[in-house]
Structure formats: structure tokens, C-alpha cells
């Protein structure tokens, strides 16, 4: 009986690791030049904020397309759309906790100087 309980406890611990909640997808956001503040959102709602680039945004795994909007003083606003792409199969998602969709790991936005800023 004792050996069965030990085996059951070991099996339970092993299965807990297999079925743990997947980590939320991450997106590395950078701008050229760096130092911009960026909002990542979908369906008109912000999902994550990167206070100053470069930085990492934790994404909502339910979203399939997100907009990255960056602002920096003396530069025009920069906007990019990132879309999730399918990976693996349904079994990977259910058994191993891997996401069914992934976002690209990095997005870089190029900021252009604003013409509204006067001479220094």
C-alpha cells in the first residue's frame, strides 16, 4: 500500500508539470531611436504597455492580431500590426500546454522626426 501511495504521489507531481498553465506570449518591442512609450492593443483595448523601449509586452493569448502604437517626443507616432500564426497541433496545446498560436518574437518600429518641432 505504501509503495502505491508513493507511486501515485510521483505520478501526480509529474502530471502537474505537464498540465501547468502556459506562459502568456511575449513580444519584444523596440524602436529606432529607442526611448519611446508603446501601447499594445487589440479590438480597441490595450493589452500591454511598454513604458520605454526596448521592452517586453506580455500578450493576451486569445488575441490573433494586435496593434503596436509608439510615441516619443519630437517624433511622429509609429504604428505596426502583429499577427499570430498557427503552430503545432491541437494535441500540443492540450497535453503539453504549448500555445496553439504564437506571435513573432520581436517588432521594431522606426520613428520619423516630427516636422512640427521647431529649431533648438
Amino acid at each position: 500500500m505504501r509503495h502505491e501511495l508513493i507511486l501515485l504521489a510521483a505520478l501526480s507531481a509529474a502530471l502537474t508539470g505537464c498540465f501547468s498553465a502556459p506562459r502568456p506570449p511575449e513580444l519584444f518591442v523596440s524602436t529606432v531611436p529607442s526611448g519611446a512609450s508603446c501601447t499594445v492593443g487589440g479590438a480597441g483595448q490595450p493589452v500591454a504597455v511598454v513604458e520605454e523601449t526596448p521592452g517586453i509586452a506580455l500578450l493576451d493569448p486569445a488575441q490573433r492580431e494586435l496593434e503596436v502604437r509608439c510615441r516619443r517626443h519630437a517624433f511622429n507616432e509609429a504604428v505596426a500590426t502583429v499577427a499570430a500564426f498557427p503552430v503545432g497541433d491541437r494535441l500540443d496545446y492540450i497535453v503539453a500546454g504549448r500555445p496553439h498560436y504564437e506571435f513573432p518574437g520581436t517588432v521594431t518600429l522606426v520613428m520619423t522626426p516630427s516636422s512640427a518641432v521647431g529649431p533648438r
Side-chain angles (χ1 to χ4, degrees), residues 22-25 47 59-64 84 93 99 101 103:
R23 290 180 30 189
V47 174
L59 307 178
D60 178 0
Q63 297 286 330
R64 297 293 174 255
Y93 178 72
Y101 287 87
F103 284 91

Side-chain angles (χ1 to χ4, degrees), residues 8-74:
L8 183 60
L11 183 59
S12 175
L15 288 176
T16 301
C18 289
F19 293 106
S20 62
R23 290 180 30 189
E26 296 177 349
L27 181 67
F28 182 76
V29 179
S30 66
T31 56
V32 177
S34 62
S37 172
C38 301
T39 303
V40 181
Q45 297 294 320
V47 174
V49 174
V50 174
E51 295 293 332
E52 186 174 335
T53 58
I56 296 174
L58 297 178
L59 307 178
D60 178 0
Q63 297 286 330
R64 297 293 174 255
E65 187 172 279
L66 294 168
E67 179 181 83
V68 181
R69 184 173 297 272
C70 298
R71 293 184 175 102
R72 183 171 187 240
H73 178 70

Side-chain angles (χ1 to χ4, degrees), residues 17-22 90-99:
C18 289
F19 293 106
S20 62
R90 189 82 176 145
L91 188 61
D92 279 346
Y93 178 72
I94 294 169
V95 175
R98 291 188 196 103

